[in-house]
Amino acid sequence: MTKPKIAVIGTGGTIVSSGSTATQMTGYSITDADIHTIVTALPELNDIAEIATFSVFNIGSSNINLSNWLKLVRLINKLSEDDYDGFVVTHGTDTMEETAFFANLTLKTDKPVVFTGSMKPASALSADGPLNLLNAVRLAGSPKAQGKGVLVALNGAIHGARDVVKTNSVAVETFKSPNSGPLGYIIGDQIEFLTESAKPHTLQSCFEVDETDTADKYPKVCALLCCADQNSDFLEAAIDKDYHGIVLSCTGNGSVPLVFEPVLQKARNVICVRSSRTGSGPVTEGMTRWQVNGIIPSGTLNPQKARILLQLSLKKFGLDQEKIKKIFKTY
């Protein structure tokens, strides 16, 4: 059988990092390795696919920004017009869920796009990167993955970009989908989907990246943590700095601190979204006064993903509160 043609796109992260010894599991860094290095070191990839590599940037994912996202999405959109059967993006795990979600909302292809990475550096004993990459290439080359939206595949599990979350700072089984569960699994050459995301993505999404888009064309959106003994200083500062979108990482079911409410009531040209710091469960409409004041619940989106959806919504719809509220109910 003809092998699928897969583009493996490198962005950096732990999968291309190394430590000073095989037992160093933290404090490592990217030195002289990139996506070409790790693909060359894994000849088994050539048994399952025809591989082409592209290095778009090579940084730790805690430093990923909107300009990087725009560059990545434009590259995949461009390559999807060629004869590639699927795409693998190697990425640091810290913000993988955010980059994957941005891609899930803005890519215009139904070809498989699979994000993967590793929790251990390439130099470590029992490094997880090689098997994760092999599995991701298998998945990207499978017809079963077509039309499923952007996927995240590590540690043998397949997750949807919308719902996946990094849940542990060091464990290899860190990626979970607390509200929906995994979409499927990969064991050896067996790929099995058990379910799929019901939310709009890729070709069904109303969002896109224009060729002329630059990061400065997007409205500023921040996420603010809510906690005990709260004051409103950071909220007031965000409004004074002309942020048009604010996501509150609230306690419980999106409980807005009382000290925030008068500030938000007086704010103009600002859309506020309530999310939850709990890690799972939906944020529902809650108090009537929150609805009256136009504070939008995020549903099951965590704060970091709600921030992305709000930023894309503000760019597309401006400060149209009703349209943005509908977007959060839909996506």
Side-chain angles (χ1 to χ4, degrees):
M1 294 179 62
T2 304
K3 291 185 290 188
K5 185 177 180 181
I6 304 298
V8 180
I9 300 168
T11 69
T14 297
I15 196 169
V16 293
S17 296
S18 59
S20 58
T21 68
T23 57
Q24 183 180 356
M25 301 297 173
T26 62
Y28 44 79
S29 60
I30 300 173
T31 52
D32 56 354
D34 60 12
I35 188 60
H36 311 294
T37 311
I38 62 170
V39 166
T40 301
L42 192 61
E44 292 84 356
L45 291 172
N46 297 313
D47 296 332
I48 60 174
E50 180 185 344
I51 303 291
T53 57
F54 300 84
S55 182
V56 286
F57 36 88
N58 202 40
I59 58 179
S61 70
S62 59
N63 298 309
I64 293 283
N65 59 36
L66 178 56
S67 295
N68 298 136
W69 290 347
L70 296 174
K71 185 176 182 180
L72 176 63
V73 167
R74 275 196 281 263
L75 174 62
I76 297 174
N77 277 336
K78 181 180 179 181
L79 293 176
S80 69
E81 298 173 0
D82 296 333
D83 60 346
Y84 291 100
D85 297 294
F87 306 91
V88 170
V89 179
T90 60
H91 195 287
T93 58
D94 283 358
T95 60
M96 184 185 293
E97 66 192 77
E98 291 165 78
T99 304
F101 185 54
F102 184 88
N104 195 55
L105 292 172
T106 57
L107 280 173
K108 295 305 171 189
T109 181
D110 64 352
K111 293 180 179 180
V113 178
V114 182
F115 278 70
T116 196
S118 67
M119 290 297 291
K120 298 178 183 179
S123 56
L125 289 171
S126 303
D128 53 327
L131 182 56
N132 284 341
L133 179 56
L134 189 74
N135 281 341
V137 169
R138 278 198 177 106
L139 181 59
S142 171
K144 293 180 179 180
Q146 186 158 345
K148 294 289 198 301
V150 174
L151 304 171
V152 172
L154 293 91
N155 203 41
I158 305 168
H159 295 272
R162 183 196 183 275
D163 296 307
V164 72
V165 183
K166 184 176 182 178
T167 64
N168 189 287
S169 58
V170 294
V172 293
E173 68 276 18
T174 182
F175 283 98
K176 311 282 185 183
S177 296
N179 293 303
S180 62
L183 302 184
Y185 59 85
I186 309 165
I187 301 175
D189 60 0
Q190 182 181 0
I191 295 170
E192 191 69 35
F193 278 90
L194 307 174
T195 186
E196 61 185 78
S197 177
K199 299 291 188 177
H201 57 71
T202 55
L203 295 178
Q204 293 78 44
S205 172
C206 70
F207 303 108
E208 60 186 358
V209 168
D210 188 84
E211 280 298 316
T212 62
D213 276 355
T214 54
D216 59 4
K217 290 185 178 181
Y218 284 73
K220 293 197 299 182
V221 179
C222 66
L224 300 179
L225 177 67
C226 299
C227 57
D229 195 27
Q230 188 76 61
N231 66 57
S232 61
D233 291 353
F234 286 113
L235 178 61
E236 292 170 355
I239 293 170
D240 290 343
K241 289 291 186 180
D242 297 323
Y243 278 81
H244 292 302
I246 296 172
V247 175
L248 301 180
S249 180
C250 296
T251 56
N253 185 11
S255 299
V256 180
L258 283 173
V259 294
F260 280 11
E261 293 191 29
V263 178
L264 293 170
Q265 287 171 0
K266 291 186 294 183
R268 297 291 180 267
N269 300 322
V270 175
I271 300 291
C272 182
V273 171
R274 301 163 40 240
S275 188
S276 176
R277 69 182 201 182
T278 58
S280 63
V283 171
T284 59
E285 290 193 344
M287 298 290 186
T288 301
R289 67 179 185 273
W290 298 338
Q291 309 314 308
V292 171
N293 291 327
I295 306 175
I296 298 169
S298 69
T300 55
L301 289 176
N302 62 23
Q304 53 269 36
K305 290 184 181 178
R307 194 196 71 81
I308 292 168
L309 184 58
L310 180 55
Q311 188 173 41
L312 288 170
S313 299
L314 285 166
K315 184 176 186 296
K316 187 172 183 67
F317 301 112
L319 293 166
D320 191 322
Q321 192 175 89
E322 288 305 312
K323 285 185 178 178
I324 295 176
K325 185 176 181 180
K326 184 177 180 181
I327 285 291
F328 271 85
K329 287 184 175 179
T330 305
Y331 286 78

